[in-house]
Amino acid sequence: MRAPSHLLAISTLLTSPALSAAITPGTLSLVPSFPSIPTAAKMYIYLPTSFPPSPPKLLPILVAIHHCNGNATSYFRFMNNLYPSLADSLQYLIIYPSAPTTGGCWDVSSLASLTHNGGGDSQTIVNMIKYAIENFNGDPDRVFASGTSSGAMMANVLAGAYPDVFHAVSAYSGVPDGCFHVDTALPGTNNPGWNRTCAEGLVVKTGQEWGDMVRGYFPEWKGGYPRVMIWHGTEDDVLRYPNYAEALKQWSNVHGVEFVGNVTDDPERGYTKSAYGDGTKVVGYSAKGVGHNVPIHELVELEFYDLV
């Protein structure tokens, strides 16, 4: 059993009145005092309308990670998702990172970002979580990540590089952890380290090979890994559908679980659920006829996180 509460010791609740005044519960707010290190990604936060909670309690943290050509503000409104309203009723906080590149893509290709405490955008996002734990009642034992496209790729990267931080992730229309790695990233471009071969679904490995890549990004880690939910549309023309099977190969190997069967029309008509093991660690959802933007299924996701 992982216990990431070593991230920070929490002894008080939101002790900074100035910081509290800068953030309005029930709205998306830039956190002006977040230092944005090691990269220049910005931290936005959504606190539930009843924040601070009474009686005082720690709040689960959901990290919602945007796609290329997006930012924190656009992902807050993406597909009219229900993350904020559910945060109000279920009492969790949401971190919306905003990528530092002009094109809004995340660095999911450099070894810095792929490696535990190696730097890169992944470590900046983890620093946002630490900041939320210290300043906004965040619960270090209930940290989750969800993302779309480039954000989905980052969710997989975070699961691999920071298994001591995250408990579960959901990836909509992404690729396996490490699939975009290139020896030399392309700093200053709109699509840092874009890997066309991976995007086209042409990178095929065994489950063991994919799993070894994940384990290699944090070789000292001997604990468990986050539970993983993978979503992909069969008609995805940006990050091709074969990446769905490769990601499921990867995480089923990491968790040591086998495919046990499909369930059609789950969670809705046209979707097929693929379960591994007892279904609590790795699950996939294939969306027939859906393109690159698979709709967010908030309640399915939050149930997977044990938040509902």
Side-chain angles (χ1 to χ4, degrees):
M1 182 67 179
R2 290 174 295 117
S5 55
H6 70 275
L7 281 174
L8 283 169
I10 308 300
S11 58
T12 59
L13 294 175
L14 195 59
T15 56
S16 171
L19 183 56
S20 177
I23 307 300
T24 302
T27 65
L28 180 67
S29 302
L30 173 67
V31 181
S33 51
F34 177 69
S36 292
I37 53 174
T39 69
K42 300 299 183 183
M43 178 182 181
Y44 289 74
I45 198 164
Y46 182 88
L47 298 176
T49 52
S50 59
F51 186 88
S54 180
K57 63 180 180 180
L58 298 182
L59 301 178
I61 300 170
L62 172 62
V63 184
I65 313 170
H66 66 75
H67 45 77
C68 285
N69 299 313
N71 53 42
T73 302
S74 65
Y75 203 58
F76 179 72
R77 302 185 178 92
F78 183 68
M79 289 187 170
N80 297 312
N81 72 87
L82 301 177
Y83 285 147
S85 61
L86 288 169
D88 292 338
S89 59
L90 297 174
Q91 293 291 286
Y92 60 87
L93 64 84
I94 314 171
I95 295 172
Y96 288 91
S98 207
T101 58
T102 57
C105 295
W106 294 99
D107 172 13
V108 294
S109 61
S110 73
L111 278 179
S113 203
L114 290 169
T115 304
H116 181 77
N117 288 339
D121 289 338
S122 63
Q123 190 169 4
T124 303
I125 292 173
V126 168
N127 286 338
M128 294 178 191
I129 294 165
K130 294 178 180 180
Y131 197 89
I133 292 169
E134 184 176 48
N135 294 285
F136 298 112
N137 299 18
D139 187 347
D141 294 315
R142 290 183 294 173
V143 180
F144 311 96
S146 180
T148 296
S149 189
S150 181
M153 292 190 272
M154 178 55 76
N156 278 326
V157 167
L158 291 168
Y162 296 93
D164 55 336
V165 176
F166 292 89
H167 295 77
V169 304
S170 185
Y172 293 88
S173 309
V175 304
D177 178 26
C179 188
F180 256 45
H181 172 61
V182 291
D183 290 335
T184 303
L186 305 176
T189 65
N190 288 348
N191 300 322
W194 182 261
N195 186 319
R196 180 175 296 176
T197 303
C198 176
E200 292 292 327
L202 300 177
V203 179
V204 178
K205 298 180 182 291
T206 66
Q208 184 68 41
E209 290 171 330
W210 282 123
D212 286 346
M213 287 175 64
V214 171
R215 290 180 285 267
Y217 297 134
F218 190 5
E220 300 85 4
W221 179 248
K222 304 305 178 186
Y225 279 81
R227 295 176 288 120
V228 175
M229 179 178 281
I230 304 293
W231 303 77
H232 220 109
T234 62
E235 302 305 311
D236 193 328
D237 60 355
V238 178
L239 300 173
R240 300 284 183 174
Y241 184 63
N243 283 301
Y244 174 69
E246 297 304 304
L248 288 173
K249 279 186 200 176
Q250 181 174 65
W251 291 110
S252 60
N253 176 268
V254 169
H255 282 285
V257 292
E258 299 290 334
F259 171 72
V260 296
N262 289 327
V263 181
T264 58
D265 295 328
D266 186 349
E268 63 180 89
R269 185 176 179 84
Y271 283 68
T272 299
K273 176 182 178 180
S274 296
Y276 292 75
D278 63 4
T280 63
K281 294 181 178 179
V282 180
V283 64
Y285 290 98
S286 172
K288 184 177 180 180
V290 176
H292 185 54
N293 288 330
V294 176
I296 295 173
H297 287 67
E298 301 92 343
L299 288 176
V300 178
E301 189 180 321
L302 296 176
E303 183 177 3
F304 188 67
Y305 301 157
D306 297 324
L307 294 183
V308 293

